[in-house]
Amino acid sequence: MKYDRSAELFSESQKVLVGGVNSPVRAFRSVGGTPVFIQSAAGSKLRDVDGNEYIDCIGSWGPMILGHAHPDVTAAVQAAVGLGVGFGTCAEVEQKLAREVIARVPSVEKIRFVNSGTEATMSAIRLARGVTGRAKAIKFAGCYHGHGDLFLIKAGSGALTFGAPDSAGVTPGTAADTLIAEFNDLESVRRLFTENADQIAAVIVEPVAGNMGVVPPAEGFLEGLRDLCDGAGALLVFDEVMTGFRVAKGCAQQRYGVTPDITCFGKIVGGGMPVGAYGASAKIMYHLSPLGPVYQAGTLSGNPPSMAAGFATLRLLDDVLYEKLEAKCERLAAALAEDAKDAGVETCINRVGSMLTVFFTGGPVASFTDAQKTDTERFGRFFHLMLEQGVFLPPSAFEAWFISAAHTEEDINRIIDAAKVAFKA
Ligand code: PLP
């Protein structure tokens, strides 16, 4: 394949955008090579500026569960835009989307829409602090909750107890209020609760980790978090920005039967438009302004075309769609494992619903420590060989591949065939 126009555009974009991109992973730094510039997308396919076509396994990092440019979503956005892009005041479509979410997620009685997953998680922790009157939050190493200061924290040296800034510009003061535990390790959470008795406002977790590659919760892990939070008077926050409406119609909390206090949404809830949201019981949400003392606002929050995209998307997500997605992705994961075995390559393929990751390590991969054993150099080669064969994977070894309802059985076969070649090389 030729990428001449992409290369030209990347060279130009570096003159005006930092690293040529607006979000770091797009720069291809972890797989090498030049980022591909996309011209258009439809269904399961991306078309780049050089005319190359790809089967898309990024799905805009999750939102595109219906595939790209679904006619209903496009029509809904076009109709909304025709009425004016935004008003900065109330519009009916906001409550329409709210009702769709609330109908699917029983733990959510009231919801607040924001503009990104980052805003949703930052605001959820502020709300938890406001409700409990406590300052500290526990997060898990390898879970990503957006780029809010309180989440850009890594485990400090020595013990897991004290967080340290994981980005320049994050203050030690902020880091001190974020405690880091190990995903799928209840003991690490219990220890933090003991050492910080009556100080923990919230535990925030991706119920299926997706940002260290896909790592499902071990049996009993989410239930254990629920119990620990209840015992300590802390709130359990599920960051379902990625898993929400992806792993089940009622999100991960339905799939695993564990009810959080606060849920964060993003990605699918906006149908591909910039939307985030957080919701909880009315009792918790009443702490939020204008009713309560926890302040949070947004000029573009509830933006009508974005709400319309989310509404059109959620309405199409029925049980049949999830059943078909599950079957399609089960077949894909099994065939990829077979391909890898035939090629003599050690892999561990983790899949939950239509999110999956091929780890280039023997596995099992049940923790961040396990995930870090993946051979990133090998993934880089695999990524480029797949791209050359017209399959666009996320350009990082620690990401989820997202499969959509628009991927046909033929698309799945093409991914499997491409992987057969890429594993052998
Ligand atoms: N939480 C999770 C689980 C995510 O995967 C992401 C983004 O990938 C975020 C939060 C942040 O969302 P956004 O990029 O919309 O700010």
Side-chain angles (χ1 to χ4, degrees):
M1 281 191 195
K2 282 207 155 70
Y3 304 106
D4 298 350
R5 182 66 186 139
S6 275
E8 257 171 47
L9 284 173
F10 188 52
S11 157
E12 287 303 307
S13 71
Q14 287 176 87
K15 295 178 185 162
V16 287
L17 298 175
V18 180
V21 296
N22 279 309
S23 196
V25 71
R26 297 179 197 168
F28 274 34
R29 289 281 170 107
S30 61
V31 290
T34 300
V36 175
F37 278 61
I38 300 302
Q39 180 95 317
S40 65
S44 61
K45 306 288 185 335
L46 298 174
R47 180 170 286 275
D48 75 11
V49 289
D50 289 284
N52 304 310
E53 195 181 84
Y54 310 90
I55 298 171
D56 178 28
C57 296
I58 304 179
S60 195
W61 300 96
M64 297 304 175
I65 191 164
L66 294 172
H68 295 277
H70 188 285
D72 288 15
V73 180
T74 304
V77 173
Q78 281 172 340
V81 168
L83 298 172
V85 167
F87 320 120
T89 185
C90 304
E92 188 181 351
V93 66
E94 297 167 80
Q95 55 183 286
K96 285 169 78 174
L97 180 55
R99 284 205 184 86
E100 284 297 323
V101 175
I102 288 165
R104 286 169 167 73
V105 188
S107 68
V108 174
E109 293 174 344
K110 304 265 182 205
I111 191 162
R112 169 65 57 83
F113 290 108
V114 292
N115 303 293
S116 67
T118 295
E119 260 188 86
T121 53
M122 279 166 34
S123 309
I125 295 299
R126 183 182 305 143
L127 176 60
R129 287 172 167 162
V131 171
T132 58
R134 300 172 177 182
K136 293 186 179 176
I138 297 177
K139 81 173 277 287
F140 294 90
C143 280
Y144 177 69
H145 305 291
H147 62 87
D149 281 8
L150 76 163
F151 300 121
L152 294 181
I153 310 293
K154 61 184 173 200
S157 57
L160 276 176
T161 314
F162 298 106
D166 200 18
S167 160
V170 175
T171 63
T174 300
D177 281 335
T178 304
L179 309 172
I180 313 291
E182 293 290 348
F183 192 77
N184 278 338
D185 178 356
L186 282 176
E187 202 39 55
S188 70
V189 185
R190 194 170 290 121
R191 205 163 49 235
L192 291 176
F193 269 115
T194 307
E195 288 166 3
N196 299 271
D198 300 330
Q199 297 177 64
I200 313 277
V203 173
I204 185 165
V205 65
E206 292 179 73
V208 176
N211 285 290
M212 49 177 114
V214 174
V215 180
E219 214 178 313
F221 177 62
L222 298 175
E223 290 85 345
L225 293 182
R226 178 69 278 170
D227 290 346
L228 286 170
C229 285
D230 288 345
L235 299 185
L236 178 60
V237 181
F238 274 7
D239 176 353
E240 298 235 34
V241 167
M242 188 183 283
T243 54
F245 314 110
R246 165 64 63 181
V247 299
K249 189 175 165 191
C251 311
Q253 55 200 270
Q254 179 192 36
R255 192 169 177 125
Y256 294 99
V258 176
T259 306
D261 296 298
I262 304 178
T263 305
C264 303
F265 302 96
K267 302 190 190 275
I268 289 173
V269 82
M273 299 285 272
V275 179
Y278 58 111
S281 64
K283 197 166 149 227
I284 289 177
M285 294 303 274
Y286 281 161
H287 285 77
L288 206 56
S289 59
L291 300 181
V294 179
Y295 188 71
Q296 187 272 309
T299 301
L300 295 175
S301 297
N303 167 255
S306 306
M307 296 290 101
F311 181 64
T313 299
L314 286 201
R315 292 230 299 181
L316 292 168
L317 303 179
D318 58 18
D319 291 330
V320 177
L321 179 138
Y322 287 102
E323 278 160 28
K324 284 190 181 157
L325 259 180
E326 189 78 40
K328 199 156 58 183
C329 295
E330 194 178 348
R331 181 168 85 83
L332 173 61
L336 288 172
E338 205 55 39
D339 281 354
K341 204 166 146 216
D342 287 351
V345 180
E346 269 204 327
T347 59
C348 170
I349 299 175
N350 281 354
R351 177 190 73 85
V352 177
S354 52
M355 328 171 14
L356 73 89
T357 297
V358 177
F359 292 99
F360 286 85
T361 176
V365 175
S367 68
F368 186 43
T369 310
D370 294 340
Q372 284 172 308
K373 291 182 193 144
T374 198
D375 182 342
T376 52
E377 195 263 331
R378 174 103 213 195
F379 174 81
R381 273 186 282 142
F382 183 79
F383 168 85
H384 281 290
L385 287 163
M386 293 295 276
L387 195 68
E388 272 297 308
Q389 297 176 87
V391 178
F392 210 137
L393 301 179
S396 158
F398 300 101
E399 299 288 353
W401 308 9
F402 294 104
I403 303 300
S404 77
H407 285 80
T408 61
E409 294 300 335
E410 172 55 28
D411 289 332
I412 301 294
N413 291 341
R414 280 186 52 201
I415 299 171
I416 295 165
D417 290 346
K420 209 184 284 280
V421 176
F423 278 128
K424 283 201 178 120

